[in-house]
Amino acid sequence: MCQVDENYHDDLDPAEMLNVSKKCIKCKEASAAVVIRVGDTYCRGCFKEYFIHKFRAMLGKNRIIFPGEKVLLAVSGGPSSCSMLSQVQEGLSQTAHRKLRFLPGIVHIDEGGAVGHSMEERQKALAELQTVFKATGFPFYFVPLEKVLDLPSSVVATATAPSEHPASAYKSAVNDFIHIDSSSCSTPLDQEETSIPEVQESHTQFLQQLIVSVKTLTARQDLLNTLRQHLLVDTARTKGYSKLMLGDNCTRLAVKLLTSVSLGRGAQLAQDTGFSDSRYGDIISVRPMRDFSTKEIAYYNHIFSVPSVFIPGLDTKTTNKASIQHLTESFVTKLQTDFPSTVSTIYRTSEKLQTACRSSSTADCCDRCLLCMCSLDTAPENASAFQATLISEQLSQNTFLGASRSTKIIPRQNQDPLESEIAAPTGQCCSSGGEEGCGSAENYEVCYSSAQPQTADVKSFLCYSCQLTIKDMSSLEHLPQYVLSEAWRRHSRSQMREEISEFLLDDGDEGD
C-alpha cells in the first residue's frame, strides 16, 4: 500500500544499452560489428561464417538438391534474392570449405509492363541487373512478364513428378559426384550471352488491360504472383532445370502466412511457406533463405557490399491500407519493432503446418486449382465455415434477383460481372464463311468460338482464394489464353465423364 513517508524519487536502474564495444560471442576476441538479437553480437568474420553456415545447413538438412542438378535462381533484384545469389556464388568458389555441388542459372522476370514503367526505365533496370549477373559467371535469362500471354496450357496441366529417391540415394550421388573428374562436372555452366529482350507494344497493352481489369490492389498482387510463378516454372522447363530456388526470407514468409490466412488460402499454407513446393510435379521450388530475417540480410549486404537493384512494384508508395498484403506487412514490421520475437514466432508456427487436403503433387489435374495449382478446397463439408459462406452468397443472390424481378430494371453498371458473363450469348462460329460453318457439327465436335468457358465453369476449377481473385475481375476475356484453354479442356473432360459415368467402375467395384 502507499505510505506517507515513502520516497518515490529514487532513480530507476537504467537498462543496459547494447554497444559495438562488446566482444563477439563466438570468438570472444574481436569487437562486435553487428547485434542480431539481444545478446547475439558478432564480429565481422564470425558473422560471415554464421551466415554462410546457416545457408548451407538449410540445403544440407533437407537434401532435395542432388549433386549435378541444374538449379534456376529466381532473382528479382531485391536484397534477399541478391543475398541468395551471393551465397551460391560463395559456395561454388574455389576457396569454399564445403562447395555446393549443383549447377546454377539465373532468371529475372521483368514486371515493368504490369507496373506501368516506360521502356527506358525497364532497360535501365535490366542493364544494372545484367552487370550484377555477369559478375557471377552463371548463365542468366531475362524474361518479360508479357511472355506469360504466350505460355502453353501445359503450365497449368499435370506434369509427371520424378520418382522419389531413397534415403541412401543422396550419399551415393555425392560419392559418385566426387569420383567424377572435377574439370568436367564441378565447374558451373558456361555463361550465355543473354541480351535484354524486346517487348511488343501490343503485348504490353494487353498485359496492362489484364492488370487494370482487376479492381482491388489485393487481387492484382495475388494475380501477379500467380502469373510470375507460371513464367518461372515454364522457364525452368524450357531451359532444362529441375529445381527453382526462391529468395523468400523469414520476415517475408511470416507476412505471407498471415496474408494467406486473410485471403482464404489456409489449406495451401504448407506449400506456400514451406522449404519445398512440389505442386508442379517435375519442377520443385525451394526456399533456402527462409531462416534469415530481413535484418540479418540487410546487415550482411551492407557489410560485405552485396549489390542489389531496387525496382518499384505495384505497392510502391501506397498507403498501408491499400491492400491486405501491404497492411499485413506494416502490422508485422511494426509489431516486430516492439516485440522482437514476433516474426520468429509466426515463422516457427508455419513449420508445424500440414495440409489436410490431398497432396498437390499426387492430385489429379481436375482436382487442382487452375491458377495456383494447389489441391481444390471448395468441397463444402457439413457445418463448415465454407458451407456457411456459400449459403450466405446464395441467399444474397436470391434477394438481388427478387428485387430485380419486382422492379424489372437491372442497371448495367451495377450488374454482377459473373452474372453478365453467364447470361452472355455464345459467340458465332469460328469459320469466316458465315453459312458454311467450321464443320464441327458434322464431326460431332463443338465449335471453339462457342466453347469458351463461362465464368461459372472457370470458378469450378479454382480454389477458394483464386475464386475471390477472379471475382474482382471485370471480365474473364483478359485472362491469358492458356488459362482459358485449360479451363475448357477440363470442362470438356468433366462433361465427357458425366456422359459415360454409367459405364465406369468405381474403386470398390474393381475387386468384384
Side-chain angles (χ1 to χ4, degrees):
M1 296 178 63
C2 299
Q3 301 294 332
V4 177
D5 298 332
E6 189 74 20
N7 185 10
Y8 296 101
H9 302 287
D10 294 340
D11 295 334
L12 298 176
D13 295 334
E16 184 181 1
M17 300 299 294
L18 295 174
N19 55 75
V20 294
S21 63
K22 285 192 172 184
K23 297 297 182 181
C24 174
I25 62 172
K26 186 175 182 181
C27 66
K28 309 295 184 180
E29 296 178 356
S31 299
V34 294
V35 180
I36 300 178
R37 289 172 294 273
V38 178
D40 292 347
T41 56
Y42 290 90
C43 64
R44 181 186 179 96
C46 293
F47 178 63
K48 184 175 183 180
E49 293 179 3
Y50 157 81
F51 201 92
I52 294 176
H53 173 74
K54 199 173 184 180
F55 179 82
R56 298 183 187 178
M58 176 61 69
L59 294 176
K61 178 177 63 177
N62 292 274
R63 294 187 175 183
I64 293 180
I65 301 177
F66 276 61
E69 273 192 307
K70 297 178 65 177
V71 181
L72 188 62
L73 280 65
V75 180
S76 62
S80 183
S81 60
C82 287
S83 181
M84 177 185 68
L85 176 61
S86 175
Q87 290 302 303
V88 174
Q89 186 180 4
E90 177 75 21
L92 292 173
S93 62
Q94 298 296 331
T95 58
H97 176 60
R98 289 187 176 182
K99 297 182 62 176
L100 300 177
R101 300 185 177 95
F102 57 84
L103 306 178
I106 308 172
V107 61
H108 171 75
I109 306 299
D110 178 21
E111 304 175 4
V115 180
H117 296 167
S118 63
M119 188 56 63
E120 291 76 13
E121 295 174 341
R122 299 173 64 178
Q123 295 286 343
K124 180 181 178 181
L126 294 180
E128 295 179 7
L129 287 171
Q130 190 176 29
T131 304
V132 177
F133 295 163
K134 281 186 176 181
T136 62
F138 304 151
F140 58 92
Y141 314 97
F142 290 115
V143 183
L145 190 62
E146 287 85 349
K147 192 178 178 181
V148 77
L149 304 175
D150 300 327
L151 290 182
S153 57
S154 58
V155 176
V156 289
T158 304
T160 304
S163 58
E164 296 184 358
H165 300 282
S168 60
Y170 185 84
K171 293 184 178 180
S172 61
V174 172
N175 295 331
D176 295 341
F177 185 85
I178 294 176
H179 287 87
I180 293 177
D181 186 13
S182 60
S183 61
S184 60
C185 187
S186 62
T187 57
L189 298 175
D190 295 334
Q191 189 173 34
E192 301 177 6
E193 290 294 334
T194 305
S195 59
I196 299 177
E198 297 182 358
V199 183
Q200 297 182 7
E201 185 65 25
S202 58
H203 287 183
T204 303
Q205 293 179 357
F206 194 91
L207 179 63
Q208 292 177 353
Q209 291 177 1
L210 170 62
I211 300 299
V212 172
S213 65
V214 184
K215 303 175 184 178
T216 61
L217 182 59
T218 300
R220 289 181 184 178
Q221 289 183 282
D222 194 32
L223 180 62
L224 183 60
N225 292 335
T226 302
L227 297 179
R228 185 196 305 118
Q229 189 68 23
H230 290 175
L231 201 53
L232 289 174
V233 171
D234 180 73
T235 304
R237 286 175 179 171
T238 54
K239 301 300 181 181
Y241 292 86
S242 58
K243 299 293 188 301
L244 183 63
M245 190 174 289
L246 307 176
D248 296 332
N249 56 53
C250 176
T251 307
R252 177 60 58 185
L253 291 178
V255 174
K256 191 174 185 179
L257 186 145
L258 298 181
T259 302
S260 298
V261 173
S262 304
L263 296 178
R265 295 188 59 84
Q268 295 84 13
L269 285 179
Q271 292 177 309
D272 291 342
T273 60
F275 174 78
S276 62
D277 185 0
S278 58
R279 71 182 72 181
Y280 292 95
D282 56 339
I283 304 297
I284 299 179
S285 302
V286 295
R287 302 179 179 94
M289 302 295 293
R290 66 191 308 265
D291 268 356
F292 297 93
S293 65
T294 304
K295 182 179 180 180
E296 293 174 333
I297 295 174
Y299 278 156
Y300 185 87
N301 292 354
H302 175 71
I303 294 176
F304 300 103
S305 302
V306 177
S308 61
V309 179
F310 172 73
I311 302 177
L314 286 176
D315 58 345
T316 303
K317 294 183 178 181
T318 57
T319 60
N320 294 336
K321 299 181 181 180
S323 65
I324 294 179
Q325 294 91 338
H326 204 22
L327 180 62
T328 307
E329 181 180 4
S330 176
F331 169 74
V332 172
T333 52
K334 291 180 179 179
L335 198 61
Q336 175 72 13
T337 304
D338 298 329
F339 304 95
S341 61
T342 299
V343 171
S344 60
T345 303
I346 300 174
Y347 167 71
R348 297 303 175 188
T349 304
S350 67
E351 289 184 331
K352 302 177 178 64
L353 295 176
Q354 292 182 357
T355 178
C357 299
R358 191 176 174 184
S359 176
S360 296
S361 59
T362 59
D364 185 68
C365 173
C366 296
D367 295 334
R368 302 187 187 199
C369 176
L370 185 62
L371 291 179
C372 67
M373 291 297 294
C374 289
S375 299
L376 292 178
D377 56 351
T378 53
E381 300 179 359
N382 295 330
S384 63
F386 182 63
Q387 186 185 31
T389 303
L390 293 179
I391 295 176
S392 178
E393 290 182 356
Q394 293 175 359
L395 293 177
S396 301
Q397 291 177 359
N398 293 337
T399 304
F400 174 75
L401 293 177
S404 301
R405 292 192 186 99
S406 62
T407 57
K408 295 183 181 182
I409 297 177
I410 303 179
R412 295 295 299 177
Q413 63 271 17
N414 295 330
Q415 188 176 0
D416 191 352
L418 303 184
E419 297 179 2
S420 63
E421 294 200 15
I422 294 176
T426 57
Q428 298 179 353
C429 183
C430 59
S431 173
S432 59
E435 298 178 357
E436 297 180 0
C438 61
S440 57
E442 291 80 359
N443 298 329
Y444 301 97
E445 298 177 355
V446 182
C447 176
Y448 181 77
S449 60
S450 60
Q452 293 296 328
Q454 297 175 346
T455 305
D457 299 333
V458 174
K459 284 185 61 178
S460 62
F461 302 117
L462 299 176
C463 65
Y464 177 74
S465 177
C466 292
Q467 285 184 8
L468 298 180
T469 302
I470 294 298
K471 191 174 182 180
D472 282 341
M473 295 186 63
S474 59
S475 175
L476 290 182
E477 296 177 355
H478 300 294
L479 282 175
Q481 188 60 40
Y482 72 94
V483 176
L484 299 177
S485 300
E486 179 63 19
W488 168 241
R489 190 186 71 85
R490 295 187 185 185
H491 178 67
S492 301
R493 287 179 62 89
S494 61
Q495 282 187 337
M496 184 182 301
R497 187 177 184 84
E498 291 180 359
E499 293 176 359
I500 63 175
S501 59
E502 299 179 357
F503 306 98
L504 297 177
L505 296 177
D506 297 333
D507 295 338
D509 299 336
E510 294 181 356
D512 298 340

